[in-house]
Amino acid sequence: MPKSKRDKKVSLTKTAKKGLQSKQKLIEELRKCVDTYRSLFIFSVANMRNNKLKDIRTAWKHSRFFFGKNKVMAVALGKRETDEYKDNLHKVSKYLQGEVGLLFTNKTKEEVQEYFDNFKEMDYARAGNRAQVDTTLDEGPLEQFPHSMEPQLRQLGLPTALKKGVVTLLKEHAVCKEGDMLTPEQARILKLFGIEMAEFRVQIKCMWNSETGEFDNVAGGEEPMQEEDEDEDDDDAE
């Protein structure tokens, strides 16, 4: 069994910008999960959607998810070998960068990977996302829209007009090309026409076994560099 380092006192000087008490509570809760569950996984999220993550949490009620507060979570696990809560947790902390979360579970590595490999759902792209395909709207009536929508469509850059009370696209219109970074107007048009381009998906980055202290770089590749200490400003999203 890996040695426990729970007697180490954690200084929150650099993360005490606000909510010191809530951050201390999060640290305690994370460490309790380290002691309770067999495995800890770090996962990254592409095209983050809170409702999709909520669906996953509902399906995995037997486990615990934490998303957000990366730097506080790194403090809880330990950023270095000298202050890690248990053996090799400092290696896990290196992955707490960007849109990532923690999964504590008693499920096996194979069960976790199989679930997330198969969990992919489409959603509407947002401004700043890349267009996945060329999208062109055909000339003609747009009977799915009420006549009151015509001014809004025109403001979005669509060549529309009312013909006999029916919203009509006066000519073919190219909304976007594959690889374009979508503008707010393009993203709005795609949503209005029911065109989904953003794939919500989760990738397992690494795992840690509480029984052996073993760390596994599941995704492969080089391990990330440890980020410099800064004040914690991430949003709560447990």
Side-chain angles (χ1 to χ4, degrees):
M1 291 289 291
K3 64 180 183 292
S4 172
K5 302 179 182 179
R6 70 187 68 188
D7 57 335
K8 295 274 187 180
K9 291 190 176 181
V10 175
S11 172
L12 290 178
T13 304
K14 295 184 179 180
T15 60
K17 186 176 181 181
K18 60 180 180 179
L20 180 61
Q21 187 173 0
S22 65
K23 291 175 182 178
Q24 187 63 55
K25 182 180 178 182
L26 176 58
I27 287 174
E28 292 171 358
E29 198 156 351
L30 284 163
R31 290 183 167 182
K32 182 179 178 181
C33 287
V34 169
D35 294 333
T36 302
Y37 292 92
R38 185 178 301 124
S39 298
L40 162 60
F41 294 84
I42 284 196
F43 61 91
S44 63
V45 179
N47 296 304
M48 174 62 187
R49 300 291 188 272
N50 286 332
N51 63 320
K52 306 294 186 187
L53 193 59
K54 184 177 179 180
D55 290 343
I56 293 175
R57 282 191 169 124
T58 300
W60 283 63
K61 286 183 178 179
H62 45 69
S63 305
R64 290 292 306 276
F65 288 86
F66 296 84
F67 196 89
K69 295 290 184 187
N70 285 350
K71 293 185 177 65
V72 176
M73 293 195 293
V75 170
L77 301 179
K79 296 182 179 182
R80 303 168 188 82
E81 190 172 0
T82 54
D83 62 14
E84 61 187 2
Y85 182 57
K86 288 188 177 179
D87 286 346
N88 288 325
L89 280 178
H90 76 282
K91 296 180 180 179
V92 178
S93 293
K94 292 180 181 179
Y95 287 81
L96 288 169
Q97 301 177 28
E99 289 197 321
V100 299
L102 298 181
L103 164 62
F104 291 94
T105 185
N106 288 326
K107 294 292 186 180
T108 66
K109 173 183 174 181
E110 291 72 26
E111 289 173 313
V112 171
Q113 284 190 296
E114 181 181 4
Y115 178 84
F116 288 109
D117 284 346
N118 292 315
F119 191 95
K120 297 179 176 67
E121 293 193 5
M122 297 302 296
D123 206 333
Y124 296 112
R126 296 173 177 172
N129 290 158
R130 296 285 180 182
Q132 299 302 304
V133 294
D134 294 351
T135 302
T136 301
L137 302 177
D138 294 331
E139 175 185 349
L142 303 175
E143 296 180 353
Q144 68 268 43
F145 299 115
H147 65 84
S148 58
M149 281 282 294
E150 194 278 326
Q152 181 181 338
L153 295 172
R154 199 160 9 96
Q155 287 178 353
L156 291 171
L158 295 178
T160 59
L162 286 176
K163 288 190 173 183
K164 297 182 179 180
V166 177
V167 180
T168 303
L169 195 65
L170 299 177
K171 60 181 179 179
E172 184 180 89
H173 180 77
V175 179
C176 59
K177 291 187 177 296
E178 182 180 355
D180 285 352
M181 183 174 288
L182 297 175
T183 66
E185 292 77 18
Q186 289 171 317
R188 177 64 176 158
I189 291 170
L190 292 172
K191 186 172 183 179
L192 286 171
F193 282 83
I195 302 170
E196 296 178 328
M197 283 194 183
E199 184 182 65
F200 173 90
R201 62 184 183 278
V202 173
Q203 181 188 21
I204 299 300
K205 308 293 286 185
C206 66
M207 73 166 290
W208 176 84
N209 186 299
S210 67
E211 296 177 341
T212 64
E214 181 182 355
F215 170 84
D216 184 4
N217 179 2
V218 177
E222 293 185 7
E223 293 186 7
M225 298 291 292
Q226 181 72 54
E227 286 190 328
E228 295 295 326
D229 292 343
E230 295 176 0
D231 289 340
E232 174 61 51
D233 287 321
D234 294 331
D235 295 329
D236 283 313
E238 185 197 346

